Amino acid sequence: METERHDAQVFEVNDNALAVLEKRYLKKNEAGDAIEEPIDMFRRVAGTIAEPEVDFGIARGLSGDEARAVSEEQEKRFLDLMLSRKFMPNSPTLMNAGRELAQLSACFVLPVEDSIDSIYDTLKHQAVIHKSGGGTGFGFSKLRPKGDVVSSTMGVSSGPVSFMSVFDASTDKIKQGGTRRGANMGILRVDHPDIEGFITCKHDNDEINNFNISVAITDEFMERARADLDFDLKNPRDGEVIKTVRAQDLFRKIVEGAWLNGEPGVVFIDRINADNPTPQFPIEATNPCSEAHLPAYDSCNLGSINLERFVLTAAQAEEKIAQNGRASGPRAPKETDCVDWVALKECVRTAVRFLDNVIEQNDYPLAEIARMSRGNRRIGLGVMGFADALVKLGVPYDSGRALELANSFMEFIDRHAWEASRDLAEERGVFANWEGSVHNARDGRRVRNATVTTIAPTGTISMIAGCSGGIEPLFAVAFLRRQAGMEMPDVNPEFVKIAKDRGFYSEDLMRSVAEHGSVRDVEEVPEDVRRVWVTSQEISPEDHVNMQAAFQKHTSMGISKTINLPNEATIQDVADAYTLTYSVGCKGVALYRDGSRDEQVLSKGSAP
Ligand code: CDP
């Protein structure tokens, strides 16, 4: 860990994080050299995101001086949260806030209507969004099927899959703002006549490389598959039944694809729309990693709380219990006693304010997107470092206690995020589309944001924060990293600490753990430690799914989570996982069978 010091403030950054920051996030001069330090980046972000406080303050009757004081106070809080690695906004905010390209959101959904004009307008809009660092999702379900007539030319349509490859090819040509490659989600409804070709399009065609694909599954389809009934595929133009299939056969095809290489995923579209807080704008698609469920032209800016930072040591927990005057006498603290809930609540409130301010500062790539995003004010506060928090608390990921903790954390975060949004509505007013929203219709609840919580993968920001990603379990306890021509063990620092504290540390042992990736079969590691340091592929699909469901229960939009299966998992195992995901109330599923993709990004026992 290197420590950067500026005034009294510190940002601890490890080598991996520093490399990522230097490559993609820090301001550079024309020669390509970074001209800001990580701490300057966080200052730039905090300062920019606190600016709207001045106008908001004046609008609610504060004097200029008072409003500026509020802005300064919030700026300090924003900066503190980021420097202490308790909270990080999504990458585009870190990269672009306070810079010329002030596009701050990670997620967008664009419409695809059944006309050449619409398709090619959206193609252009996709390019504009990718250039600015955002990811795009598209629902292709309104496009007429392949072979259907095109009346103006008396020709035939080439269908959704073919148009998707046009979007894919265009993505290749646009590198996102010089930062990251464009990512897309392509979605087709399960009742579209081209669904079978869509399911296998990434197997049949190695040209589609920049899309994740998902089938939008309806409740009717799930019921028909369960009852082994037929299912109609209909032309979206006029509802004409083009083909009737056995629902179970179609389900099998989806599952076989997922078994083969993880695609397609599925989203439960009726469930997503049933929970859409703005039903006046129906949802047909999601962002690339599928956690943000958005109507056409909407966007979402994400931010994630690092749960590990809120876990107290046993001594701190004892002290907290003593201070709170519990008269129950000495006892071992329960896990929830080891969480600093007061600090977590403060963090949630500040993060909601931060994300609401991001909407003000966002320079949207299109007028339609600006209108919809400001109209709904969707924000997506999520979590990361959950697996790190569990190992600190000594709780195995695949245990009932972990599910209870997931429930406690997310229920608490969601509740306080809504409370913060309610308080913001009092200060700043409700979101513009509030009147037609369920918040008004259902309970007259005045809130500032249509949604407040979403759990993102946190692929890069968890690296910057030095914690485990999203709500995923640990991928490995250690791996071998090639360094200066040698293979060196890179071991989770918390594991090293425990090994030293418990007296089972040795360099040989660390190498052995790195070779295995996991500690399950390493006898020198005490049994209870082995149990807690469980890694993703050792966790059963049911436990993965149940964890996703526990977080989903308290999340406004969706969850990014991979259900990991061992390489030897069967097609039936995949089918069971999909069915379970639906029955426990998840909004979708992304599944991965170990080793099933040629290029596995990170493989156990080898350097990433
Ligand atoms: O950690 P970071 O903020 O970089 O992103 P993430 O949490 O891994 O991904 C959040 C969202 O950012 C994704 O669901 C996509 O919408 C978008 N994204 C993208 O457009 N391109 C990428 N290479 C990665 C993410």
Side-chain angles (χ1 to χ4, degrees), residues 287-358:
N287 70 328
C289 304
S290 89
E291 70 277 13
H293 309 144
L294 304 172
Y297 290 127
D298 209 348
S299 70
C300 184
N301 50 287
L302 309 166
S304 301
I305 293 177
N306 177 2
L307 294 176
E308 179 271 333
R309 300 268 87 192
F310 297 90
V311 176
L312 303 169
T313 61
Q316 286 169 325
E318 297 281 2
E319 196 180 319
K320 186 181 104 178
I321 292 167
Q323 275 175 3
N324 289 350
R326 293 248 185 96
S328 53
R331 63 186 175 93
K334 290 197 314 250
E335 286 94 22
T336 48
D337 288 334
C338 295
V339 174
D340 188 343
W341 298 104
V342 175
L344 184 57
K345 176 178 164 186
E346 227 15 74
C347 177
V348 170
R349 293 184 64 81
T350 305
V352 167
R353 195 166 187 116
F354 180 107
L355 294 172
D356 191 64
N357 287 3
V358 169

Side-chain angles (χ1 to χ4, degrees), residues 278-291:
T278 53
Q280 63 271 48
F281 308 110
I283 294 171
E284 284 157 27
T286 73
N287 70 328
C289 304
S290 89
E291 70 277 13

